[in-house]
Amino acid sequence: MPDLATLLPLVAILMAVGAFAGVLAGLLGVGGGIVLVPAFFYLFSGLGYGSDDLMQICVATSLATIIVTSARSVMAHHGRGAVDWVILRQWAPLIMVGAIAGVMVVAQLRTQTLQVIFAVMVFAIASYMIFGKSSWRLSDQLPGGLFRAWFGPLMGFVSVLLGIGGGSIGTPMLTLHGVPIHRAVATSAGFGITIALPSAIGFLLTRAPHAPPYTIGAVNIPAFLIVIAMTTFTAPLGAALAHRLDPKPLKRVFAGFLMLVALNMLRKALF
């Protein structure tokens, strides 16, 4: 067990990371998990808990926090009338199917494989954040049931592999089909709950034999509690800022940071 002198700085770091992730979830619609997974990975590795199931723990703990973060973000956006509940009702069941499948796959993968998947996908997401334009459109309205039937499960599945709430995939998908950006961000926050809730339950039943102390299944409870204590306060702040600011310049800076994180994780996995 780490001593108090080691734990206190780590608690402070987790509080800062949680606060940052909460703001991002509301402001940029990218999901706090894209920050939490690498943060958990480096913190747990620094404590000496590197193992073949470390990334499972990082992904599972991130998804557990997203339940709370997304709920707070949705409530804040709903107060401003930005959430499209019709889209949420149509997409939720299919997204949940993909999320459950994602849990079953993640439970079988080694840390190195999940690191590579995370790095490649996050680099692709960051590239879209930098080079994508708000004027890009595939159509002026969302496609019908056939598109939902394959893209909904795919979004849930990929989001669980990355430990994210779906905003990084759902927001661009909605804007590319004519949904205004503020409504897309708000509605994508709701996708996070449909991904995180079933997957967190699944991960609580997943065995992680080399987990850090106080881990149930693959969810580390201290990290979960510290992060949600911060995101509970900062997710509504991010949602409020999203309606006041143009997030485009900040999104590009953040995307550059994500690229560096992704490249570093890929380096650790392969070399």
Side-chain angles (χ1 to χ4, degrees):
M1 290 288 290
D3 58 28
L4 192 61
T6 302
L7 284 177
L8 287 178
L10 291 173
V11 169
I13 292 170
L14 279 173
M15 291 176 68
V17 169
F20 184 49
V23 171
L24 286 176
L27 175 60
L28 301 183
V30 297
I34 211 165
V35 174
L36 293 176
V37 170
F40 290 154
F41 179 82
Y42 292 123
L43 286 171
F44 291 147
S45 297
L47 284 172
Y49 293 107
S51 66
D52 282 346
D53 50 24
L54 177 58
M55 276 294 284
Q56 293 176 2
I57 296 160
C58 299
V59 165
T61 306
S62 171
L63 287 164
T65 68
I66 288 168
I67 299 171
V68 180
T69 304
S70 292
R72 290 286 290 160
S73 183
V74 167
M75 287 189 291
H77 283 298
H78 175 66
R80 297 171 180 271
V83 180
D84 192 320
W85 294 102
V86 173
I87 292 176
L88 274 182
R89 285 194 295 269
Q90 291 174 338
W91 283 75
L94 294 165
I95 291 173
M96 291 177 71
V97 169
I100 293 167
V103 172
M104 293 187 288
V105 171
V106 168
Q108 304 303 317
L109 296 179
R110 297 172 62 248
T111 280
Q112 185 179 29
T113 304
L114 285 170
Q115 282 179 268
V116 173
I117 292 171
F118 183 88
V120 171
M121 293 301 298
V122 167
F123 194 89
I125 290 168
S127 298
Y128 181 84
M129 290 169 66
I130 292 175
F131 300 109
K133 297 182 179 180
S134 59
S135 60
W136 287 0
R137 291 288 183 277
L138 295 176
S139 70
D140 292 329
Q141 60 183 10
L142 278 173
L146 185 60
F147 178 77
R148 287 198 305 273
W150 70 267
F151 194 85
L154 178 65
M155 179 163 56
F157 179 79
V158 172
S159 295
V160 170
L161 289 183
L162 302 182
I164 63 176
S168 302
I169 302 171
T171 299
M173 182 274 293
L174 292 174
T175 56
L176 285 171
H177 291 96
V179 178
I181 181 61
H182 288 144
R183 185 166 292 272
V185 169
T187 307
S188 293
F191 291 162
I193 300 173
T194 65
I195 292 165
L197 185 58
S199 58
I201 293 171
F203 280 123
L204 285 170
L205 304 174
T206 299
R207 186 170 177 268
H210 306 293
Y214 309 111
T215 298
I216 300 176
V219 178
N220 184 259
I221 302 305
F224 165 74
L225 293 175
I226 292 169
V227 168
I228 64 168
M230 302 306 299
T231 58
T232 296
F233 294 104
T234 59
L237 173 62
L241 289 174
H243 291 269
R244 298 176 185 173
L245 303 176
D246 176 10
K248 188 184 299 182
L250 178 59
K251 183 175 286 190
R252 287 178 175 169
V253 171
F254 176 62
F257 166 73
L258 284 181
M259 285 184 167
L260 294 177
V261 170
L263 290 173
N264 187 55
M265 186 165 285
L266 189 63
R267 179 185 63 81
K268 283 182 173 292
L270 299 179
F271 303 105

